[in-house]
Amino acid sequence: MINNNIQTTIKAINDTFNTLSGLSCDDLRIKFNSIRSRVSEGEANIDDVLVDVFAIVKETMRRFTLGCIKVKATQKDITLAKCYDFVFSDTEGNALYQHRWNVLGEKFIWNMVPYDEQLQGGIEIHNGRILQMATGEGKTLVAVAPVVLDAMNGKGVHLMTVNEYLSKRDFEITRPIYSFLGFSVGCIEGKAIHSSRRKEAYNCDITFGTTSGFVFDYLHDNTAKKASQCVQNKFGVAIIDEADSVMIDEANTPHILSGDIHTYINNNENPYKKYMSLVKQMTEIDTLELYKTDTLRKNVSLTEQGKKWLANACGCATLFDNNLYTERIKLIDANNSLTENQKIGMIAAERNQRLAQLKMQDVLYRLLTAFTVYEKDVDYIVSGNSIVIVDPNTGRLKPSYRWEYGLHEAIMAKEHLSPDMEIENIIGSITVRNYLSLYKKISGMTGTAITTTNDWLDVYGLEVAVIPTHKPVIRKDNPLRVFATSKQALVAMLKEVIKLHKERRPILIGTNTIKQSEHITEFLNSKGLKPQLLNAKTLSQEAYIIAMAGNLDSITVATNVAGRGTDIKPADEALNVGGLAVIGLGIADSQRIDKQFMGRTGRQGNPGSSQFFVSCEDKIIGFLSGDDKNELERLASHADLESGEIIDNRIINLFLLAQRNKEEEDRNDRMETIKRDNIIAPIRLRLYGARMQLLRQTSKSTVIGNDLFGFWNDPVFISSYESHKKDFEEKAMPMVERALLNSASVDVCAPLPFIINGKIFNVICNFRNAVATQGSSIGDDFERQILLSTIDEIWFGFLNGINNPLIQKTEYETKYKKIFILAQERLKQTLLSATLPVNENIKNNNVTNDFYSNSLLCNSTCDKIGIEDPCPCGSGMPYWKCHGRLNSL
Ligand code: ADP
């Protein structure tokens, strides 16, 4: 049901739309431009012009269906005509907008005028709601009118979706409409961070991209060293397609930007390779209870016996004896027959041994995890010389993601690939939830929102609007069929496939893993059927496979990848025999994913059917409580002797309960991640805000210093710092002048080598400004860069410090304060002591910008620090994992 208010608005849109057909195309644009100017000049707000704008968009779309649209060419049209195939310019000064153009290399014909339900969807997007619109109802089209409306404000509209294929497709489909109305449209693609193409895309009125692309650009921008590297500039409106996937499924994995990497010089140095076969051997012994695994939650733990076995196998009996080190140190300390120097030497030796052991434990644990709970072609695939993560929800690959803290390296070693590097630390992290909170308005679209209404409200404060389908749904969704064993479920499913195939219906078979999809394909091939296989490995042929999937006699075996995205269009003959039959082997981790999959058929009022086959051996059963599992087993004992089928509604309900339990568990994880990130958010905003101000120099460094650090206000500090600053500015001037005089080619900006704690820190200074300001800009440049370094030091330190599941949320504040105070002290000392060298002070050419990692750890500090204490560099990591790290074992 459409509510009255919206119904009135839709009627008004249609009434206005009917008045527009008499306008020439030029007049249509003139009318639109005049509304746009009223909005941009603040004479009208977008709510006032919604009806007119939606009507103009609808009329524009109608004209695109008719053939070529001729208008007087503007400069923008002429520029577009030089680059794209959807508009041409003629010799008489006209622009000819086409009715067909290329989308992802294929011919595309515009044939869409929005239905009332689509207008309703557009209005709800404008209202900032999450739309539930069934698959196939045309969400791509729905977004256009609200995007146009918001783009008039000039504050940027970002359209996000799950993968580059979909974002690029929707970008290319709708670009001509936006362009006709005078908007610039861009799409962020690929991985070229800080690139000018990316910046251009962000400068457009409307920007398409994947959510991850947007989030990572934000994190990258906030590690930029120069303002010119930043690509994002406005956070106006975000509209998220496949919103449940992006905003719900992804919500429990924050986006993490990794920093330094440790590169292995040669393979012998690589501990994962070194211990791989030993751990493999351990997993092959099944007579001893060496470890416990929880495959559902991907956890593994060593038993006492397992620790002994590993310690023995590594030839290091004390490997897991974590108290021994402290005891030994105590003994050495208490031994009066030793001299101080002897003690220092012995303690250092003990420390090194302990460091090696801790690292070894870490490596062994990761390898064991890799071998026992991560499976090839389920959790990841091997592609060339690397492993690529498979997203469990979408079935798609995540090539730019790595598992953290050695797990990725361990899996590479398991697959006999050579990990040549290890990610060392985190330099940025944010959840989608908190990234989206940067926008003034957000809304989303998905086929399945209503089952997670609470999440939308609790996590995002968004309401769900359910949009009716344009035509009634006549798809037949059959009840779950349950079998005792997975083999029996498979056999029954295959029988059903053969039966449907005889009826010539197109069939889409859904599986939960790549492995299973390959297995079924092989089997069908062996029966003389010719299935197409669509999974993360065959995605390059996605468009072709999907295009064929609706034909008579076609069989497509797929993973979750087929659950979203491109439309499967059933051929007319296929509709006559009952339409596409969707068959699922096993149910997914959430009802939403199953519903998405079912929605592949019966679109737009077409016939179709869905049927899922499950077995009591399915993984999802692991999410039932003990009592429910017993009940399941009891019911399973009544299975049909021949087929293994259990026909009983109670068992169906247990499967649905297991799925709900899993959803609940995921929801709790999500809330936990979000709660954690909510504590971090104000810190991130504060530091990022200050950082951006420094980069863009929108405020003087002293003002930002004042805002962040208490001491900067202190008059005693100010007076000594001011005189110190004068001093180094004076020292710098002759250098600057000499450089400018001696070399005509000195860049305007060049490094001045400051000495901080005996090390060189290059401050990039504007030499010409320095001359113009008689040196005072040097102090400004110095302050700005030292502050930037300090902010990064605090932020990275904090992120790494809390990157440990054992650290409670309540400890975050204390951790932050500790790191902050340390960094503040160092900053104060730096500001008062940094100086410029007279030439002979530079002892070597080891000029470095790496202020925090090189300048802070002098040997004397290292000697004092316990190996399990926080590293004095402020990273927050234990010393042994950070600067105390041994390069080899
Ligand atoms: P969704 O994202 O909701 O699954 P799509 O945007 O992929 O749907 O559209 C599904 C199909 O419906 C597309 O082939 C599109 O061309 C068609 N379609 C959508 N809206 C209209 C319309 N108003 N008129 C004609 N065809 C439409």
Side-chain angles (χ1 to χ4, degrees), residues 24 148 166 195 211 248 275 343 484 622-623 636 652 656 680 811 816:
S24 71
V148 167
L166 291 177
S195 73
T211 319
I248 304 280
Y275 294 109
K343 280 187 188 175
F623 294 98
I652 294 182
L656 300 180
I680 306 172
E811 296 171 68
Y816 177 71

Side-chain angles (χ1 to χ4, degrees), residues 827-872:
L827 170 67
K828 192 171 170 184
Q829 191 217 339
T830 301
L831 290 172
L832 294 175
S833 66
T835 182
L836 277 155
V838 267
N839 276 346
E840 61 273 26
N841 275 2
I842 307 175
K843 300 219 166 62
N844 53 38
N845 287 329
N846 184 14
V847 174
T848 170
N849 254 335
D850 194 359
F851 164 58
Y852 17 91
S853 67
N854 285 310
S855 61
L856 305 174
L857 291 171
C858 55
N859 285 337
S860 59
T861 347
C862 295
D863 285 345
K864 280 182 216 134
I865 175 166
I867 50 182
E868 276 156 274
D869 288 346
C871 186

Side-chain angles (χ1 to χ4, degrees), residues 735-836:
M735 288 168 139
V736 169
E737 278 158 359
R738 228 183 359 257
L740 284 173
L741 208 78
N742 287 348
S743 162
S745 70
V746 164
D747 283 337
V748 177
C749 289
L752 272 182
F754 277 72
I755 298 185
I756 299 170
N757 281 350
K759 297 264 176 178
I760 292 169
F761 177 67
N762 275 329
V763 172
I764 310 293
C765 289
N766 187 316
F767 279 29
R768 300 211 192 281
N769 268 356
V771 173
T773 59
Q774 289 163 350
S776 81
S777 74
I778 296 174
D780 292 344
D781 287 334
F782 164 79
E783 261 169 34
R784 204 165 46 81
Q785 286 165 58
I786 293 297
L787 262 180
L788 265 183
S789 290
T790 308
I791 290 172
D792 287 347
E793 178 190 342
I794 297 172
W795 176 232
F796 302 166
F798 175 60
L799 281 181
N800 288 292
I802 58 168
N803 185 39
N804 177 342
L806 298 177
I807 294 181
Q808 299 299 311
K809 296 191 293 286
T810 44
E811 296 171 68
Y812 285 12
E813 192 64 36
T814 348
K815 276 251 164 212
Y816 177 71
K817 279 203 180 121
K818 217 168 157 182
I819 289 166
F820 182 85
I821 288 168
L822 258 174
Q824 168 164 288
E825 274 312 305
R826 216 151 29 222
L827 170 67
K828 192 171 170 184
Q829 191 217 339
T830 301
L831 290 172
L832 294 175
S833 66
T835 182
L836 277 155

Side-chain angles (χ1 to χ4, degrees), residues 112-113 115 118 136-141 567 569 603-604:
M112 298 180 283
V113 183
Y115 311 124
Q118 291 174 318
E137 288 296 303
K139 288 185 274 295
T140 309
L141 191 73
D567 206 15
K569 290 206 173 77
R603 306 168 78 152
Q604 300 169 340

